[in-house]
Amino acid sequence: MSGRLDGKVALITGAGRGIGREIALKLGAEGARLVLNDLDAGPNEEVVAELRGKGIEAVACPGSVTAPDFADRFVGTAVSAFKGIDIIVNNAGYTWDSVIQKMTDEQWYAILDCHLTAPFRILRAAQPVIRHLAKADAEAGQRNVRKVVNISSVAGLFGNAGQANYASAKAGIVGLTQTLAKEWGRMNVTVNCVAFGLIRTRLTSTDASEGASARIEGRDIKIGVNPDLLTMMERTIPLGRGGTPEEAAGAVYLFCIPESDYVSGQTLICSGGLTGI
């Protein structure tokens, strides 16, 4: 039985855990061959091994998406392993919150570098490869629609107190999406965006709210949400709950399948009906 994405080569950042892992599982189950990144090599290799155990072709490309050489290495891994690129999902990210008067330059640039500069660099590095592939398709009389899915947030659309850095970066990724939809349409590439609301991952877990942190880029970043705050947040969601990583992956999947081949430059809100903050 064939999948919707048989033979497609998909590059996914932040794929070792949470939403990124579920995107990898979803696309892989539909036949995609995967180049997976995560900041931490351990989770990166674990998800690759899991996928290979299911008969899915996958390779790891661990490391920080903000490293100056990462984009070329990531794209190069796809070309070396699978000779092409069909889908790019810019998913890697985290939050480092503070009200603006207490936010440092380091906080500001760290989040912009991860959520906006890194996707920009990846797409810039991918352009020559995609251009070459699109030219080869045209010469062969073939039409192959490639896909870019960038990840934004309702914070990027509506703002969110304490997240000037994150909201600005996520607003910027919407602008990048709309611009590349115009630039890359001639290469038969659709460029879309998914803006998540509250999704239940380790970064929003109440289990991690008591002084828990994650080691990110050499910094200990606080993670987790106060249980009372999380309950209050969920009450504002029309569906009455936060989304699951599997549901988040489903929204990304919609932009990867052939049925969305004539949809480009769009932002899909995946928030359980929440349309503001």
Side-chain angles (χ1 to χ4, degrees):
M1 182 175 171
S2 63
R4 305 293 294 132
L5 302 174
D6 270 357
K8 301 293 186 182
V9 179
L11 291 71
I12 307 168
T13 61
R17 301 180 177 91
I19 296 170
R21 174 181 174 275
E22 294 302 327
I23 294 170
L25 291 171
K26 182 71 174 173
L27 301 192
E30 291 294 333
R33 297 173 290 168
L34 304 169
V35 180
L36 304 180
N37 154 265
D38 197 83
L39 176 63
D40 300 318
N44 201 171
E45 294 290 351
E46 286 171 12
V47 72
V48 165
E50 179 182 0
L51 288 159
R52 288 176 176 170
K54 299 175 185 288
I56 297 166
E57 294 184 71
V59 295
C61 186
S64 171
V65 296
T66 65
D69 67 339
F70 174 77
D72 289 333
R73 185 164 60 87
F74 194 39
V75 170
T77 299
V79 173
S80 175
F82 300 123
K83 312 302 182 207
I85 297 172
D86 296 289
I87 298 166
I88 299 173
V89 181
N90 284 305
N91 167 75
Y94 65 103
T95 58
W96 189 5
D97 299 346
S98 183
V99 291
I100 193 165
Q101 67 271 23
K102 295 182 180 179
M103 184 172 290
T104 65
D105 284 1
E106 182 185 13
Q107 278 179 283
W108 173 263
Y109 285 112
I111 296 303
L112 261 70
D113 284 349
C114 180
H115 291 273
L116 186 55
T117 304
F120 157 72
R121 287 174 172 168
I122 290 167
L123 296 171
R124 180 176 62 183
Q127 197 275 348
V129 176
I130 292 173
R131 184 186 64 223
H132 173 77
L133 293 170
K135 183 179 179 181
D137 288 341
E139 290 173 350
Q142 299 174 343
R143 181 176 174 273
N144 182 18
V145 179
R146 293 180 171 82
K147 312 276 189 163
V148 173
V149 186
N150 295 318
I151 303 304
S152 185
S153 165
V154 292
L157 303 181
F158 310 115
N160 195 30
Q163 292 191 319
N165 51 0
Y166 181 72
S168 297
K170 289 305 192 183
I173 204 71
V174 173
L176 179 63
T177 296
Q178 293 173 341
T179 298
L180 287 193
K182 292 178 171 62
E183 289 188 11
W184 286 17
R186 61 187 175 83
M187 298 189 298
N188 282 323
V189 180
T190 68
V191 187
N192 291 293
C193 194
V194 177
F196 292 131
L198 175 62
I199 306 296
R200 292 276 201 154
T201 68
R202 71 179 181 129
L203 299 180
T204 59
S205 170
T206 56
D207 295 334
S209 63
E210 294 299 323
S213 64
R215 191 72 175 170
I216 301 173
E217 304 280 7
R219 310 176 184 98
D220 291 318
I221 305 296
K222 184 181 182 300
I223 62 173
V225 178
N226 177 281
D228 293 335
L229 177 60
L230 188 63
T231 298
M232 182 180 70
M233 291 167 62
E234 290 191 318
R235 284 179 186 150
T236 68
I237 299 171
L239 288 183
R241 61 177 178 82
T244 66
E246 294 87 350
E247 289 168 327
V252 172
Y253 171 72
L254 295 176
F255 282 135
C256 296
I257 56 177
E259 285 80 354
S260 63
D261 279 359
Y262 200 61
V263 179
S264 194
Q266 302 303 305
T267 297
L268 171 65
I269 301 177
C270 176
S271 65
L274 183 68
T275 55
I277 295 179

